[in-house]
Amino acid sequence: MFTKEELDEIKKAINIVDFIGRYVNLQKAGSSYRGLCPFHNDNDPSFYVHPQRGFYHCFGCGEKGDLISFYQKIESISFSEAIRRLADLAGVQIKIDNGESEYDRYTSVLTRLSGLYSCELFESRNSSILEYLVNERKISESTIREFQLGYSPNNGTFGTFLASKLSVDEKTMIDMGIAYRRGGSLKDRFEGRLIVPISNESGRIVGFGGRLTSGGQGSKYINSPETRYFQKNRLLFNLSRARGVIKELDYAVIVEGYFDVMALYQAGVVNVVGLLGTALTEGHLRILGNYTKNLLFFLDSDSAGQSASLRSIDIAEKMDFSTAVAMVKGAKDPAELFALKGSQGISDALSMSIPGSIFRVEFYSRKLDLSLSQAKKHLIEYLKPYIEAFGSSGNFSAREMTLRALSEKTGFSEDELVRFTRKESRELDQLDQKTPINLRNKDILRVYLQYPILRSRAARQLELLEQRKEFRELLRGMKKGLELEELLDLVDVELGRELIELASSCIDESTALKILDSTGEYTNKRLVEEQIAEIDRRLSTLEDEEAKAALLIRRIELRRLLVKRKRGGD
């Protein structure tokens, strides 16, 4: 059996809090950590982990022990198997007796199977598969061999061939997810597919992914079925290769697929891991937390990929990770980007990554027309819970970045946004009345102050909208194209402060143009309405029937024009 020295070395190499934290959400409690017990239905945290003494204890059900006994119980495995797997994880050499554990047998069979798949890929009859990888995916032969890629031919007999080569009975092959029975023959689960071996954190092969090749039938991608050792919500593709570099660089790049991982790996980004067709989970994050608390998401460019990035950021931030997002541009995913633009394309995309909190503001902003005041209020409401949560959790960096990005999108100063986020929704709807300048006119002034080329257009629109006498001098100055410093001499202190705030809150040019277009439509509509109101005033005093008839005709024409504009006509 195992010596005391070997067991002590394993327990010394693995931090018990980090390891149990993969299964239990632990919170600091004095010198210990506590959480909900995984061994009974626990509603009030009664499960304690003591890092200095190296043991855990539940005051609810009485379950207690050390790192090894916890792993045995949580995974329902034998003491011997727990030691072997923990030694793998810790990189500790132990003396193995002649008895082969279930885990050893499982991973041994899959390792031999991987070798058979790999040999098949390099057979001359399968050259088209190899050419697909090299020519279309731009994956080098060295990377193909590093990731032990393989192929299962669609000839209907490979399943039987594997059984004979592996010296494994049919039931074991089915239980391990390698094969299935159809009709009277044993079929390889991955026949007609390019094979990607999937290793656990220790580097042992525990499952496979299969991509359909041309002419095949079925789902484009499949994975091994869930087993005791293959659980997608706790496996990250390439972690065994990447974990040392992740710890050294103190961040991990997270992508969606195997080919994304291989593309980045070949581009020199070794600290990359991939999800296995599932969303990022707390289990994944607890594992990654052993190596870093900094994550860079590099997911697909479609709406599903962007939504997945947002969900991943949300769950990661709740577990105190710092996040960033790299955007795939000009391609659907990182693998395609690499095939099109090579290592430089990957490097450029990663260098343009933005913090997760800023990505969230961008994500919600894309769904709104921020030239409209109501849309800005909606955006503030969307992000208000995050700003509050960052403040209460002490994540002031994320809070400040969110406020800064939100300020750029809405034009409000960060101080204003802090005040607004403390208001109820009904108070937020009254923002126009709380300031000397209403939201629409603020937008026009912001355009004037930041884009000199648009000043004459902005001044004309504001003149039509703002009739208050305290704005008369300001409007005269704007019509002359005066700079901010000169405008301040024309207004009172309160209005001057507003102008300074507006000049310092940036908006991009496309939003500025949208604001003027939207306001132009509004002012045109208002001018028509004023003409109608003037006609109504004149009709009430006019006695000349012919003049009355002419005004009524003009009124009808103006009403038709209004109806057309409301329906989107010219």
Side-chain angles (χ1 to χ4, degrees), residues 168-176:
V168 175
D169 62 80
E170 181 180 308
K171 182 179 183 304
T172 300
M173 288 186 71
I174 293 171
D175 289 346
M176 288 183 174

Side-chain angles (χ1 to χ4, degrees), residues 289-313:
N290 294 313
Y291 306 105
T292 185
K293 296 295 282 186
N294 302 300
L295 306 177
L296 197 167
F297 296 99
F298 194 18
L299 305 183
D300 292 0
S301 61
D302 59 13
S303 59
Q306 298 300 296
S307 296
S309 294
L310 188 65
R311 288 194 300 271
S312 297
I313 291 166

Side-chain angles (χ1 to χ4, degrees), residues 131-298:
E131 287 169 4
Y132 161 77
L133 290 169
V134 174
N135 298 331
E136 292 189 38
R137 290 286 185 174
K138 307 299 182 185
I139 299 173
S140 68
E141 187 172 323
S142 63
T143 300
I144 292 169
R145 292 189 183 278
E146 171 65 30
F147 283 86
Q148 305 169 60
L149 302 188
Y151 178 63
S152 176
N154 191 14
N155 58 16
T157 62
F158 202 62
T160 305
F161 167 77
L162 292 177
S164 65
K165 283 289 186 180
L166 294 171
S167 301
V168 175
D169 62 80
E170 181 180 308
K171 182 179 183 304
T172 300
M173 288 186 71
I174 293 171
D175 289 346
M176 288 183 174
I178 298 169
Y180 64 98
R181 177 159 286 283
R182 187 170 67 192
S185 59
L186 190 68
K187 298 287 186 182
D188 176 17
R189 177 179 291 276
F190 297 98
E191 65 181 7
R193 292 178 182 272
L194 179 65
I195 308 298
V196 183
I198 299 169
S199 300
N200 62 14
E201 193 175 353
S202 304
R204 299 269 195 116
I205 295 175
V206 292
F208 297 96
R211 186 197 187 281
L212 202 63
T213 55
S214 60
Q217 293 183 338
S219 301
K220 188 175 182 180
Y221 289 96
I222 63 169
N223 288 317
S224 292
E226 296 273 308
T227 67
R228 175 186 289 185
Y229 310 112
F230 184 79
Q231 297 173 25
K232 290 184 292 184
N233 63 351
R234 284 167 49 195
L235 282 170
L236 289 161
F237 183 63
N238 194 52
L239 181 59
S240 60
R241 291 181 192 84
R243 59 181 183 165
V245 184
I246 290 172
K247 197 160 192 173
E248 181 183 343
L249 298 178
D250 195 23
Y251 80 98
V253 180
I254 298 179
V255 296
E256 286 192 37
Y258 333 111
F259 289 105
D260 296 328
V261 168
M262 287 181 267
L264 265 70
Y265 186 91
Q266 188 164 315
V269 183
V270 183
N271 55 322
V272 58
V273 295
L275 304 172
L276 296 170
T278 183
L280 186 74
T281 67
E282 289 189 5
H284 292 138
L285 291 168
R286 289 191 184 110
I287 292 170
L288 285 168
N290 294 313
Y291 306 105
T292 185
K293 296 295 282 186
N294 302 300
L295 306 177
L296 197 167
F297 296 99
F298 194 18

Side-chain angles (χ1 to χ4, degrees), residues 408-419:
E408 290 178 5
K409 291 294 180 185
T410 62
F412 292 115
S413 70
E414 291 177 39
D415 288 340
E416 284 178 310
L417 289 169
V418 170
R419 292 198 300 273

Side-chain angles (χ1 to χ4, degrees), residues 14 19 58-59 459 474 520:
I14 299 174
F19 187 80
C58 177
F59 291 96
L474 173 64

Side-chain angles (χ1 to χ4, degrees), residues 264 267 269 298 326-329 331 333-334 336-352:
L264 265 70
V269 183
F298 194 18
M327 310 292 282
V328 180
K329 293 184 179 178
D333 55 37
E336 187 179 81
L337 180 65
F338 176 75
L340 293 171
K341 299 183 179 179
S343 301
Q344 190 61 49
I346 297 294
S347 177
D348 290 346
L350 293 178
S351 68
M352 297 294 288

